[in-house]
Amino acid sequence: MPWEITTKRAVISVRTTENACFAWSMVAALYLAEKYMDRESSYPHYTTVLNLANIESPVTLKDISKFERLNAVSTTCIKNKQVLSLRLINEKKEKHVNVLYVQDPRNDGIGHFAWIKNLSRLVSSQISRKKNKKFFCDRCLHYFNTNEKLQSHVMDCEKMNDSAIRLPSVVDKWLEFEDHCNKQSAPFIVYADLGCVLRKMELDRKNASSSSYTYQQHEIFSIGYYV
């Protein structure tokens, strides 16, 4: 597991010698351990609690849909580095698991899965420097400051939203225009400005108890422009 992920303490990666990291991630999420959450011995063996019929190990991204049908569970798979949702679930089930997918640099078709214990802690630093908890939609990764706003969004997300939000990586977090060769010269440019004075307004006694009121007004006294 990459160092920048491990230090956030938001992901549980069960140490195993088998090619079954996806299965162990599911078990870690569905059968919570009180301690030693990264050890196989803290959980029931995945073959006794999961249905993996006709699913070969190691599990790939294309196998997740089959796993969901066999186990009545929904899974959001988030990719490392860019932190983006690799697939949209049609319906969030009562048993839902968020997993992190870390690509194997030696093989594009193989990666490592780990259970995301705290999604907010994992991705919040890519959005803001503030350490306040954020509430993320498990489906599209849209985020909110309160759980009430999230629940209001969730009601419509499955019905209307067929796209996922892609969060920027640390390296690619700035939006900048680069195709200057495609710009066209304008035939003319106009620069304009207004000069104003601020006239104080009398307090409206009828709305004196209001928390906001008009106390000054801009009055134009000059206009200038340059072509």
Side-chain angles (χ1 to χ4, degrees), residues 21 27 160:
C21 55
V27 174
M160 304 171 58

Side-chain angles (χ1 to χ4, degrees), residues 56-220:
E56 297 181 358
S57 294
V59 175
T60 59
L61 293 174
K62 62 182 179 63
D63 297 321
I64 295 180
S65 295
K66 182 187 295 184
F67 173 85
E68 290 177 326
R69 292 193 298 270
L70 292 174
N71 294 273
V73 62
S74 56
T75 306
T76 296
C77 187
I78 298 175
K79 188 177 181 181
N80 183 33
K81 293 185 179 179
Q82 291 181 309
V83 188
L84 60 93
S85 180
L86 295 176
R87 55 194 300 275
L88 284 176
I89 56 175
N90 294 326
E91 178 186 2
K92 184 176 179 179
K93 302 291 181 62
E94 182 178 352
K95 293 189 294 184
H96 179 83
V97 181
N98 292 326
V99 294
L100 181 69
Y101 179 75
V102 182
Q103 185 72 53
D104 187 340
R106 299 166 297 179
N107 190 328
D108 292 338
I110 299 177
H112 176 70
F113 291 95
W115 170 43
I116 300 176
K117 182 181 179 181
N118 191 319
L119 181 59
S120 175
R121 188 182 300 171
L122 177 65
V123 303
S124 289
S125 61
Q126 291 189 249
I127 299 171
S128 172
R129 293 183 179 180
K130 296 182 179 179
K131 297 183 179 181
N132 297 341
K133 181 179 180 180
K134 297 177 179 59
F135 298 84
F136 285 84
C137 174
D138 293 322
R139 188 170 183 271
C140 67
L141 290 187
H142 199 84
Y143 69 95
F144 303 88
N145 293 324
T146 65
N147 186 53
E148 289 75 15
K149 292 182 179 180
L150 171 62
Q151 296 307 318
S152 178
H153 161 82
V154 168
M155 295 177 62
D156 297 324
C157 185
E158 294 181 1
K159 300 177 182 178
M160 304 171 58
N161 187 14
D162 290 328
S163 61
I165 292 178
R166 176 176 297 184
L167 301 179
S169 64
V170 176
V171 178
D172 188 27
K173 63 181 179 180
W174 300 111
L175 181 64
E176 182 179 1
F177 180 76
E178 298 178 347
D179 298 327
H180 297 279
C181 60
N182 295 330
K183 294 191 299 184
Q184 295 182 350
S185 300
F188 60 88
I189 301 176
V190 178
Y191 300 94
D193 189 24
L194 298 176
C196 300
V197 294
L198 295 177
R199 183 171 61 86
K200 292 185 178 181
M201 304 290 292
E202 294 184 2
L203 179 63
D204 187 354
R205 299 299 179 182
K206 295 181 180 180
N207 299 320
S209 60
S210 176
S211 59
S212 61
Y213 59 91
T214 303
Y215 65 94
Q216 60 185 17
Q217 179 178 346
H218 287 73
E219 289 189 351
I220 301 174

